[in-house]
């Protein structure tokens, strides 16, 4: 195949998934961030009726079975935004600590640009490494909780 030639086959090393995995919420103009554990976090965007979304969901893939699961991330309610960026960042000040997702910029209406950023933190019951990862500010024995 010559460079620039159109092809309907997948590139070498990739295969196209047969049956797409259903997301919790249809979305477009959203952002995604790949976390070190292999999960992917999707934030914001527009739904099928062009309503601006203020929620996040994650995709996890079972390494043993290959099963893919989408799930809303707890009670996360971020500022509704679309056409924004999301990136994997350190949670807290410790580079050895856990990870989080920084959501920044974008728009909240057709023409209003946002000059804000938010960090998505883990809800109670999620696994954690340090206090800074948890919405409650408490990581006890590897789990976010309300207890110190």
């Amino acid at each position: 195949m010559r460079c620039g030639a159109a092809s309907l086959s997948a590139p070498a090393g990739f295969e196209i998934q047969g049956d797409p995995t259903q997301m919790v919420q249809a979305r477009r103009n959203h952002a995604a961030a790949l976390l070190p554990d292999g999960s992917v976090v999707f934030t914001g965007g527009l739904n099928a009726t062009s309503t601006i979304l203020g929620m996040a969901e994650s995709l996890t893939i079972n390494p043993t079975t290959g099963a893919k699961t989408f799930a809303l991330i707890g009670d996360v309610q971020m500022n509704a935004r679309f056409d924004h960026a999301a990136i994997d960042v350190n949670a807290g000040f410790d580079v050895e600590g856990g990870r989080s997702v920084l959501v920044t910029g974008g728009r909240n209406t057709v023409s209003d640009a946002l000059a804000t950023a938010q960090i998505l933190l883990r809800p109670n019951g999620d696994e954690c490494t340090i206090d800074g990862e948890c919405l409650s500010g408490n990581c006890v024995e590897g789990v976010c909780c309300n207890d110190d």
Side-chain angles (χ1 to χ4, degrees), residues 15-139:
E15 292 184 22
I16 297 174
Q17 177 184 351
D19 294 321
T21 304
Q22 189 68 39
M23 296 178 80
V24 173
Q25 173 69 59
R27 58 181 74 222
R28 60 187 165 93
N29 300 80
H30 58 280
L34 175 65
L35 298 178
D37 67 2
S39 63
V40 181
V41 174
F42 298 88
T43 60
L46 302 169
N47 70 10
T49 61
S50 295
T51 300
I52 304 170
L53 300 173
M55 64 174 158
E57 62 184 281
S58 65
L59 168 66
T60 55
I61 301 173
N62 182 310
T64 305
T65 65
K68 299 165 191 73
T69 306
F70 277 98
L72 287 178
I73 301 177
D75 293 327
V76 171
Q77 190 63 37
M78 55 182 233
N79 289 343
R81 61 179 77 218
F82 65 104
D83 290 344
H84 58 287
I87 187 169
D88 171 40
V89 295
N90 286 335
F93 299 107
D94 185 353
V95 296
E96 299 297 321
R99 307 297 289 175
S100 191
V101 176
L102 174 67
V103 179
T104 182
R107 299 183 285 165
N108 63 356
T109 66
V110 173
S111 60
D112 289 339
L114 292 172
T116 61
Q118 292 177 284
I119 293 180
L120 300 184
L121 299 170
R122 297 182 180 278
N124 287 343
D126 268 17
E127 291 182 16
C128 57
T129 308
I130 62 170
D131 291 341
E133 283 182 284
C134 303
L135 184 59
S136 66
N138 299 309
C139 177

